[in-house]
Amino acid sequence: MNYRIETKEAFRITGVSVPLYKDIEKNFTVIPPKWEEISRNGTLQRLVGMMDTPPMGVLGVSTCNDTEPWRYYIAVSTSQEKGDFEEYMVPAATWAIFSGTGTNQSIQELERRIVTEWLPTSGYEYGNAPDVEVYLNPDPQNAQYEVWIPVVKKQS
């Protein structure tokens, strides 16, 4: 798996969100319909028009920590006013960034492989920040994307 390690400053995202569940399969039943809904009703196009700060791409951000309710944001990084959208600050972190292409199902497969194959032998462990999906080309049949996993060096 090709990856790079990068440290990024905090960045602000603006968009819409749905609750996340500890049951991964349940998340697969709520997240794809939300993407379809905002694609159909013009929300996604409005968000793309607001994108003006890195990372450049439509973002899927999973906030799964112990201090706040779990949410999945479909958002962009922007300096503009949020208007009627929600906003979230992605904290500064070190990220393992994996690139991929394919259908939107292939990103779920890549995420599974990162956690089950790469992470256990990488010398890193999960950091305290959300997982970030960056859709560089959101075409559902030929997506180009990055998966950002927050990492910290394992203490030996």
Side-chain angles (χ1 to χ4, degrees):
M1 281 185 276
N2 289 336
Y3 72 94
R4 63 189 190 276
I5 303 292
E6 288 187 21
T7 300
K8 305 260 188 205
E9 293 300 313
F11 59 94
R12 179 177 151 268
I13 63 168
T14 299
V16 298
S17 75
V18 294
L20 278 179
Y21 302 93
K22 293 204 180 348
D23 175 1
I24 300 286
E25 295 304 316
K26 187 165 185 176
N27 293 330
F28 292 148
T29 68
V30 295
I31 293 171
K34 189 64 174 180
W35 278 97
E36 288 173 30
E37 173 193 327
I38 71 164
S39 296
R40 272 197 320 271
N41 69 15
T43 300
L44 188 57
Q45 291 73 15
R46 284 179 51 212
L47 287 171
V48 167
M50 295 172 69
M51 183 183 357
D52 64 4
T53 56
M56 299 304 278
V58 178
L59 309 176
V61 177
S62 301
T63 62
C64 305
N65 60 45
D66 297 334
T67 59
E68 59 197 351
W70 288 17
R71 309 279 312 161
Y72 179 84
Y73 291 86
I74 302 172
V76 295
S77 180
T78 183
S79 62
Q80 297 180 32
E81 290 297 317
K82 70 181 178 89
D84 56 349
F85 292 118
E86 301 169 64
E87 69 180 10
Y88 179 82
M89 280 301 294
V90 176
T94 299
W95 308 90
I97 301 176
F98 298 81
S99 296
T101 59
T103 67
N104 285 350
Q105 277 69 47
S106 65
I107 196 166
Q108 294 167 352
E109 175 63 17
L110 176 59
E111 289 168 340
R112 187 189 65 72
R113 289 186 59 215
I114 292 166
V115 172
T116 61
E117 296 173 25
W118 181 81
L119 196 59
T121 60
S122 66
Y124 290 93
E125 56 194 8
Y126 245 99
N128 188 19
D131 289 359
V132 177
E133 303 160 350
V134 181
Y135 293 93
L136 306 166
N137 168 12
D139 174 349
Q141 297 313 310
N142 186 28
Q144 290 181 291
Y145 50 80
E146 293 178 339
V147 174
W148 296 18
I149 304 293
V151 294
V152 292
K153 278 270 191 213
K154 277 187 186 163
Q155 300 300 313
S156 46

